Structure formats: structure tokens, C-alpha cells
Amino acid sequence: MELSGAEITVRCLADEGVEHLFGYPGGAVLHIYDELFKQDRVQHILVRHEQAAVHAADGYARASQKPGVVLVTSGPGVTNAITGIATAYMDSVPMVIVTGQVPTHAIGQDAFQEVDTVGITRPCVKHNFLVKDVRDLATTIKKAFFIATTGRPGPVVVDIPKDITTARCEYEYPKSVSLRSYNPVLKGHSGQIRKALQLLLEAKRPMIYTGGGIVLGEAAAELAQLVRALGYPCTNTLMGLGGYPATDPQFLGMLGMHGTYEANMAMQHCDVLLAVGARFDDRVIGNPKHFATEERRIVHVDVDPSSISKRVKVDVPIVGDVREVLAEMNRQLAALPAKPDPGAIKAWWTQIELWKARDCLKYDREAKVIKPQAVVSKLYELTRDADTYVSSDVGQHQMWAAQFYKFDKPRRWLNSGGLGTMGVGLPYAMGALLAHPDCTSVCVTGEASIQMCIQELSTCKQYRLPVKIVNLNNRYMGMVRQWQEFFHGNRYAESYMDALPDFVKLAESYGHVGMRIENPGDVEGALREALALKDRLVFMDFITDQTENVFPMVPGGKGLSEMILV
């Protein structure tokens, strides 16, 4: 059957199983939009800004096991999408972004709404393509989905010139593709796994440290089996929360810059460390030189070989899919006669309990103003038994959500960890609802972050997305203010938000429900009322303590044991 390039694009998405496409139309993609109008297999979600299109698709991918898919036009459509693409790239989120381009004969001629999409996106994509022949279009789109979803996932851009969308050829969507230069390793080396288990079983002070790879690799069950079989402590990174149940007694909480005292101290003082699907990045271990002052043996499991020994030298590298590797670890462990030293492990847990006794997450529960930690704790209490997805923007509220909401399942926590992108929270919550229409989707945000993509309140109205927005409003760019207080002599340069809108009226102007909460005694009632409004978006503006800081905190350039606790 002979189809136009625009028809082929839409047919490919449908045949790939795409259900939701996030985008914004423009001249270079109008032929594709015309074909979308004629079909009903792929639902298009019209956002109000291209950045939000990519963020919403990103949230959709994080909350599901499906890649997010985006369609934007050329020029400013592409450049508006770059922040979202870079956000997904940093957090290894599988996405396919279809971009319009000027006609092939006009490329390089400074045509209207032309940018070098391939050149601009190259540093922040897993791969990109410029389609120069309509006969290559279907195969290219298949390759894009294959690359985006295999190995270490990531965003892939397919740039389609306008004349390619009108050219015609026979349509056939490949069932599979093979790329000679791209063959991700899935199974870990059996000998290396055996060596890793030997180290773990000999450990006196073991630690298991996991990151977002556990969530992306669907390896939570295998991780839980291993951790419980060994009886060792476990910690998650910010991106890994939910990869191991937060309510499990073997979980020490999140580690890193704003991690718990016990997790950071155990990480620093362990003698054998198993790292799975994590990167040892600066927000996790602080200063690598300080981390290296304690002697330990490190086993590192990751699907991406370039992540291993990148910041910290490891002793046993294992390249492979984390689910496959952990499953093999569990099989080998069950067959081994050797067991951990019970006396040493008991002594290690005794030390960990002493660190826990510092109660590093304590705050004033009797305060006369609303404490942000209390809001998140109450939110957890009221939603923990529901199918709840919590997104956040970036800043203090993000850290309080990570510290005080106990995620027991993977993919329930959606946030920008690598790029730290303000504005993602609301689009992420939208994506979660489209992936799981019956879920409770909560966006924990701040008055600075929410304004980055606040126009998406309009999208929520159009598609009836009942997001519950928890705005922890301290009238500052909170994390900026905290750093200015600690390290810049209380000089609050441009961090005070002195021209805020009335968020209640703003929400109501979009057709939603708005609430302003100023008294600690009203927190629970407001949350209960909002959660009971199942079919309405509710914007809860909590007026919180302006002076509250996030603790613990590892200052930049310091080590894990150099935390500020109060």
C-alpha cells in the first residue's frame, strides 16, 4: 500500500502500540497532524508549550513501562523541547521525539523556522536521525523505538523534513531491526557474579546501594529477594526511591546530599558495597576523594559500561541488565553453602541503629506555622493505601517529598534528578494520569517551580486530568535561599518571590478548585477535601514556614560524613 510520509509516520506510531502522543502543531508538521485527525488509534494530547509536551511524555514513561512519544514542529518547536529532552536524557527515560523540519532543499538556507535539530540535540539524546528519503521513514522510526527502550534507555529524535511527509512510498513497518553497532549486553558474566557474591558473603560491614536503574530495569522484586536473603542494609538514590520498599526495616532511607544520617554513614563506612543501577554522582557520594578515604571493595552492576568506574574505581564490574544480573545472583546465592557472618552482621546493624538514633529528620511538630515536612507526612498518611503517583518539581519541596513520603513501589515517584528541571511536576502528574487514569496523581511543588509550566492547567482542564497540586509556598526560591543562607552570608540575591499571583484565583480562572491553607490545624482537612474531589484538579496553596531548611545536608565539595544535621 502506497502512503504519504505523514500517513507512514502516524501508522508507524499506531503499529508500535503508541496510545498517547504529546505535542503542539506548527507548519512543518501540519501534514502529520492532518493524518492524526483522520484516525483514532493514537490519542494526541495538546499541551500549551512544547517543553511541557516532552515533560508530560517523560512522566508518562516514568509512570509506565512504555516509551513517551512527542511531536513538535521545527525551529522554536524544537528549541522549546530541548529542556525536556535533556531532562529525559539525564535520567535515562525512554522517549521518541518526532520533530518537523524545513523541506530538504531548504536545509542550511536559514529558511523560516529552521534550526539544526540534529546538531542541537546531539549532546542530549541517546541517538538522533534526519530522514532524507521517505523509503527510510518506517525503518528509522522502528530503530528509534528500539534504541530508546533497550540497554540504558534514553530519548531518540527523528527529524522529518516537510517534503518527506508529502512524498509517497509503499508502507511496511518492520517487526524488528538489527543494528550492527548497537548490541546491549543483557546477561552479566557468570564468573564476575560469583566473585561478587564471594565478596558480599565475606563482608563484615556490607551495604547495598541502588539507583534509578532498578526502577527502569523492572528489577525491584529481584532486589528485594537478594536484600532479604542476605539480611543487609539497603539505600536508594533520589531516582531509585521505590526500588526497595521504604517501610522495610532493612531500608535506611535515601542517601546523598539530603539523605539520612544512617544511610550516608553506612555508605561511607561499609567494607563491601554492592552498587546496582547507580552512578556514584556528586549528589550521592559528595567529594570522591573523601569517599575514597575509607577502604572498601565495590561491586558495580550497570547496563551501561561507561558508567562503571567513571567517578569511583570499582573492584568487580558487572555489565548487564540489572534484572538479569540480580536474578542470576539470587540463583547462585541459593546454591551456595556459605552464609554471611551472623556476629559481624549483628554488630553492623547495632552500629546502624546508633546512627538512626540521631533522628536526622526531626522537625518542630508543635510549630504555629505550617511545616512543609508535616504536609508531606500527612499526604503520605492519607494516600499510602491508594494507587498514588507523586511527582515533584525541583528544590526544597522535592527533598521533603523524597524524605517524608515512603515509596514502597517503583515508578510511583516522578522527579527530575539529573538535570534538576524546575517545571516538570505538573506535566509529570499529567503523564501519570494518562498512563493510569484511575490513579491518584499528586504534584508536590513550590511557588517558583509551579509557574514554570503553569499554563498546563489549561491542558488539565481540556483533558479532565484531576491532578492534586500541593504547593509548599514559602515565598522564596527555597533551595536557592537555603544555599544563600549557608554559603553567601544571608544575601538573598533575587531569591525572594515578591510578586506572586493569587494561586486560588488563578486555579479558579482555569476552571479548577483552589484552596489557601495557612494554619497547621487545617492541613489534614484540606488534603482530605481535595482527595475526595476525584474528578477535579485541586490547587492547594499551603503557606509554609519561610525559614525552614532541608536537613541533613552535605555541603558541596564535602564528604558523606561531613553532614550538617541542624
Side-chain angles (χ1 to χ4, degrees):
M1 182 185 300
E2 196 171 84
L3 302 176
S4 70
E7 291 175 292
I8 289 170
T9 301
V10 175
R11 185 73 70 86
C12 286
L13 297 182
D15 289 349
E16 187 63 37
V18 174
E19 295 175 345
H20 294 95
L21 173 64
F22 301 84
Y24 201 95
V29 289
L30 283 184
H31 292 297
I32 299 175
Y33 271 91
D34 196 39
E35 295 306 323
L36 283 169
F37 185 82
K38 299 174 185 176
Q39 57 84 54
D40 59 5
R41 292 174 66 188
V42 180
Q43 182 189 7
H44 182 273
I45 305 299
L46 176 66
V47 296
R48 301 309 189 259
H49 193 288
E50 289 91 351
Q51 179 174 331
V54 189
H55 289 332
D58 182 348
Y60 179 90
R62 291 175 196 248
S64 67
Q65 297 180 30
K66 305 170 186 175
V69 187
V70 178
L71 174 61
V72 298
T73 195
S74 63
V78 170
T79 56
N80 283 346
I82 293 297
T83 298
I85 295 170
T87 300
Y89 177 71
M90 288 289 282
D91 289 345
S92 304
V93 177
M95 294 180 61
V96 172
I97 302 95
V98 177
T99 59
Q101 184 55 276
V102 300
T104 50
H105 65 83
I107 292 176
Q109 303 299 312
D110 295 330
F112 177 66
Q113 291 193 331
E114 179 191 2
V115 296
D116 178 6
T117 298
V118 169
I120 288 173
T121 62
R122 184 175 288 117
C124 60
V125 293
K126 187 175 178 183
H127 197 65
N128 57 23
F129 297 93
L130 172 62
V131 181
K132 298 179 180 178
D133 190 324
V134 70
R135 291 169 294 184
D136 298 330
L137 182 55
T139 302
T140 300
I141 291 175
K142 185 66 179 181
K143 287 178 180 178
F145 278 97
F146 175 65
I147 293 170
T149 57
T150 56
R152 180 178 181 173
V156 177
V157 167
V158 180
D159 197 31
I160 307 176
K162 189 170 184 178
D163 58 316
I164 300 298
T165 66
T166 58
R168 304 183 72 84
C169 72
E170 289 189 2
Y171 173 70
E172 181 181 357
Y173 194 56
K175 289 184 171 62
S176 62
V177 289
S178 176
L179 302 175
R180 186 176 59 182
S181 59
Y182 176 70
N183 293 290
V185 175
L186 297 181
K187 293 192 177 297
H189 190 281
S190 182
Q192 292 292 88
I193 292 174
R194 208 162 34 245
K195 192 184 298 184
L197 285 173
Q198 182 179 349
L199 275 182
L200 285 166
L201 291 171
E202 293 172 353
K204 308 298 183 186
R205 303 184 308 280
M207 184 66 171
I208 297 175
Y209 146 62
T210 71
I214 289 291
V215 177
L216 292 166
E218 304 295 336
E222 288 75 12
L223 173 66
Q225 182 182 343
L226 181 68
V227 173
R228 287 164 183 160
L230 290 169
Y232 293 173
C234 180
T235 183
N236 293 154
T237 65
L238 178 70
M239 295 305 303
L241 292 177
Y244 189 81
T247 55
D248 189 283
Q250 288 174 242
F251 184 64
L252 303 190
M254 179 179 73
L255 83 163
M257 178 171 278
H258 294 293
T260 66
Y261 184 71
E262 54 268 28
N264 283 347
M265 293 299 283
M267 183 80 170
Q268 181 68 19
H269 296 290
C270 66
D271 65 345
V272 175
L273 177 64
L274 170 62
V276 187
R279 302 187 286 122
F280 291 92
D281 69 279
D282 60 302
R283 287 302 196 260
V284 168
I285 63 164
N287 188 332
K289 290 183 179 178
H290 179 276
F291 188 65
T293 58
E294 298 286 338
E295 189 174 337
R296 67 182 70 77
R297 308 295 295 278
I298 300 175
V299 178
H300 193 176
V301 181
D302 205 289
V303 73
D304 180 4
S306 72
S307 289
I308 298 178
S309 289
K310 187 174 185 177
R311 296 195 79 238
V312 171
K313 187 178 183 300
V314 306
D315 299 280
V316 183
I318 303 175
V319 178
D321 177 85
V322 292
R323 186 177 182 182
E324 294 272 359
V325 172
L326 290 178
E328 177 62 21
M329 276 191 168
N330 285 320
R331 282 191 290 270
Q332 290 196 22
L333 181 63
L336 288 173
K339 301 297 176 190
D341 180 343
I345 302 305
K346 183 179 179 181
W348 179 228
W349 274 110
T350 299
Q351 175 59 69
I352 290 171
E353 292 302 321
L354 290 174
W355 289 327
K356 276 187 181 181
R358 297 290 295 269
D359 192 15
C360 66
L361 297 181
K362 61 179 178 290
Y363 64 94
D364 183 2
R365 297 171 188 270
E366 306 300 325
K368 303 301 182 185
V369 293
I370 295 175
K371 292 291 186 178
Q373 302 96 318
V375 178
V376 177
S377 295
K378 186 57 66 174
L379 174 67
Y380 168 68
E381 180 185 320
L382 297 177
T383 60
R384 63 186 173 190
D385 296 327
D387 187 19
T388 304
Y389 291 76
V390 178
S391 69
S392 84
D393 277 295
V394 172
Q396 288 180 316
H397 59 271
Q398 176 191 27
M399 295 300 109
W400 284 316
Q403 290 174 336
F404 289 92
Y405 201 100
K406 300 182 187 302
F407 296 95
D408 277 342
K409 296 179 181 178
R411 297 192 180 273
R412 266 56 176 187
W413 168 236
L414 318 174
N415 83 115
S416 170
L419 198 63
T421 307
M422 293 171 69
V424 298
L426 180 54
Y428 278 3
M430 291 159 44
L433 269 173
L434 287 161
H436 306 284
D438 297 325
C439 79
T440 298
S441 183
V442 181
C443 169
V444 177
T445 186
E447 75 288 344
S449 283
I450 190 63
Q451 293 188 83
M452 293 279 187
C453 281
I454 202 163
Q455 74 282 342
E456 298 312 311
L457 289 174
S458 179
T459 307
C460 291
K461 180 65 176 177
Q462 180 174 346
Y463 296 98
R464 297 178 177 85
L465 301 175
V467 176
K468 304 299 181 275
I469 298 173
V470 174
N471 186 39
L472 302 178
N473 185 347
N474 62 10
R475 289 81 74 207
Y476 274 104
M477 295 180 199
M479 192 60 83
V480 173
R481 182 202 58 75
Q482 179 168 334
W483 279 64
Q484 288 172 334
E485 177 185 330
F486 287 6
F487 310 117
H488 298 277
N490 296 309
R491 294 181 294 277
Y492 301 130
E494 305 302 328
S495 60
Y496 179 64
M497 306 290 286
D498 59 355
L500 291 173
D502 183 328
F503 287 111
V504 172
K505 289 181 179 178
L506 183 59
E508 290 173 347
S509 74
Y510 279 102
H512 303 304
V513 176
M515 299 179 181
R516 182 180 174 93
I517 306 97
E518 300 183 72
N519 299 313
D522 296 332
V523 169
E524 180 174 352
L527 286 168
R528 285 188 181 276
E529 183 180 347
L531 293 166
L533 295 172
K534 300 291 186 184
D535 59 347
R536 298 294 301 277
L537 182 148
V538 183
F539 193 117
M540 290 165 277
D541 189 21
F542 291 92
I543 309 304
T544 63
D545 186 349
Q546 283 193 287
T547 65
E548 192 68 21
N549 290 320
V550 180
F551 295 110
M553 179 180 182
V554 178
K558 299 294 184 179
L560 286 179
S561 60
E562 298 177 287
M563 286 168 280
I564 302 172
L565 294 181
V566 290

